[in-house]
Amino acid sequence: MQTLSAPPRYFQELLLSQLRGFLGDAEPGTLELLLPHLQWLELAGGETLMSQGDPGDAMYVLVSGRLRALMAGEDGQPRVVREIPRGQVVGEMSLFTDAPRSATVMAVRDSVLVRLERAAFRHLLSTNGLVSISLTRQIIERLSTQDAPAPPDRPVTIGLLPITDGLDVRAFAERLAEPLRRTWRVALVDSSRLAAALAETDTAPLNRRVAAEVDEIAAAHDVVLLLADATATPWTAQCARHADELLLLADADAPPKLHPIETACLMPPGGSTGAAEVLVLLHPGDRRMPRKTAAWLDRRPLADHVNIRPTLDRDMARLARLQTRTATGLVLAGGGARGLAHLGIYQAMLERGVEVDVVGGTSIGAVMASAVASDQPWDSTLASLRKGFLRNPTGDFNWLPLLSLIKGQRMKSVVETCIQEVMGHAIDTEDLWKNFFCIATNYSQARQSVLRRGLLLKALQASVAIPGALPPVVRDGDLLCDGGTFNNFPVDVMRQMRGVGRVLGVDLVTNKPRRIDNEHVPGSWELLLDRLRPRSARRFRLPSLAAYLVNATILYGMSRQERTRRMTDQLFNPPLTRLGLLDWRKFDSAVRQGYEHACEVLDGKPPA
């Protein structure tokens, strides 16, 4: 890290804009009093700004570049906490406390910062009340919202690197720029634009000249697309070095082997610095579903992947939203047959043009989320699901219930048939068009598992395997069961998905109490005789064993309900009258009730 004695004008203008955003409605003149106390710094890519446990002695504003925060995990290995884009403030609490640094912060790429030392801050406090009040107010406001979702880590410079031969990077960049330009100022930069800088033969001066020119372009734009060459040229290496995030473009039909660009220009596996790499697999526009995505993912240390049909405007718009962190995530909760209402809610979204980019869910919500993520024609998808679930997937009771009350073979058959009819063939979770996750409870490790890889059928089986009701699933040596035990409404997981800026959630839990008027719980024979009576004449209003197990599974999720709901940007909570957890025969009623509720919410009408 070294001092930058004479920052260029565009950096100074960018800092002023960032400080105005940080200080908000500060008193006039505050900026002029603060600026002389700021020290300009340069941090090279891979260099450490602060280490976890170091004494806190200053705060920083990231003017240009990108930082990465890491913390030591339980195994002692560093794990990425978050990425910090330009304009963010780092380490502000050190101005008030002597607490050590809570994380290690490193530069993803060459970065420019300003530093306010604690001594300078205290001098301002003692000599100028105007700056003192403004800074203190802003830091208190930041602390009061520390539980709110983290600000979007939107990358500014995005490198486009082809990792299969024959790709037209310029044409792809132009297609990506179309939806971006509707909201953002976009620049496309290739080697011809920086020809003078690339003429430099010494590596260090070349890095500085390219960084300066890229930073100057970035200061005037919201998104800069760096278009790499088709081979591992010096310019391609510079694209990798100066990008906040890298899109690795690949023809999905090509062999998934490593390309020379990857071996020559990218950070080796396990590196803690270097831009995050996102694999973008390019498919023909008429392809029904991707295949064999796993072969690409297994060979690369990736932050994420996206399946895209470049000829489809909606796919390119989805990629643009993911890159600008404005994508919409949809979370579908578990709840047995009540989860059929998810289908009606999504139908109402489709009719109103609500675009969903990432989907996740738990239990029956996971099954419905996978149908959304398949991105197939909705009418035929709905028909296939209707045919499958009207077969009563929980109707094969186990006459020797050593592990589960229900055999689970019918549930497996229903889900497997729906996958076959909707998607055309058995697929892996990573082969869905829209990025998808589902939640299972890892019985072996006493924690939740977020499933994003592997056979989709097995992932869904695990997510719906209600303990005691359906048999658990063995996966990679672990015993998995229904995710509702840990996280029935996984909005928190969606908030961590790359690119998601807005979250829609469908929660099926109601707060309506169910009063039991009987003085005692009957014995087995007494209850059996009562169940033989007509429903209207029964004495005991108790749930069936299967329904009791389903409800008990999600009780912990209900305890987290209010906090989770607050994390959504728009919540759907259909009342679903006269619909039990195992009422699969009421498919049409559940879909209709979900649809009507969603129409009310989306159209802004108060519920009846």
Side-chain angles (χ1 to χ4, degrees), residues 86 109 154-161 168-181 184-194 210 213-215 217-229 235-236 238-240 242-249 280 316 319-325:
R86 74 180 187 185
R109 66 179 184 90
R154 181 177 63 81
V156 177
T157 58
I158 302 173
L160 306 184
L161 276 64
D168 188 338
V169 177
R170 166 66 67 170
F172 182 87
E174 293 287 358
R175 288 281 290 136
L176 179 58
E178 288 177 20
L180 288 172
R181 286 187 172 123
W184 312 93
R185 299 169 299 167
V186 181
L188 273 61
V189 180
D190 59 17
S191 58
S192 63
R193 186 160 178 178
L194 298 178
V210 173
E213 298 212 27
V214 169
D215 280 334
I217 296 168
H221 294 84
D222 301 303
V223 179
V224 178
L225 301 180
L226 303 176
L227 282 55
D229 296 328
W235 167 243
T236 299
Q238 291 296 317
C239 288
H242 300 294
D244 292 338
E245 194 162 87
L246 292 170
L247 298 185
L248 308 184
L249 309 181
V280 182
M316 295 306 292
L319 179 59
R321 288 190 293 270
L322 288 168
Q323 289 309 116
T324 54
R325 307 311 192 243

Side-chain angles (χ1 to χ4, degrees), residues 48 50-55 70-73 78 100-105:
T48 299
M50 60 183 72
S51 296
Q52 186 174 357
D54 283 354
L70 305 102
M71 294 181 65
R101 299 296 191 186
S102 60
T104 296
V105 178

Side-chain angles (χ1 to χ4, degrees), residues 331 437 487-496 503-506 564-569:
V331 180
F437 69 86
N487 197 348
N488 195 55
F489 189 35
V491 179
D492 54 340
V493 177
M494 181 61 79
R495 283 290 180 193
Q496 297 169 9
V503 176
L504 312 180
V506 186
T564 309
R565 286 182 171 187
R566 286 195 299 270
M567 296 176 69
T568 63
D569 295 292

Side-chain angles (χ1 to χ4, degrees), residues 415-427:
V415 174
E416 189 172 28
T417 301
C418 289
I419 290 174
Q420 182 67 37
E421 292 193 5
V422 173
M423 304 168 199
H425 53 85
I427 68 170

Side-chain angles (χ1 to χ4, degrees), residues 8 18 24 27 76 83 98 141 144 148 161 181 190 271 319 358 392 444 469 516:
Q18 293 166 350
E27 296 294 331
E83 297 216 345
D98 294 321
E141 286 183 3
S144 66
L161 276 64
R181 286 187 172 123
D190 59 17
L319 179 59
V358 182
N392 187 9
S444 301
I516 305 297

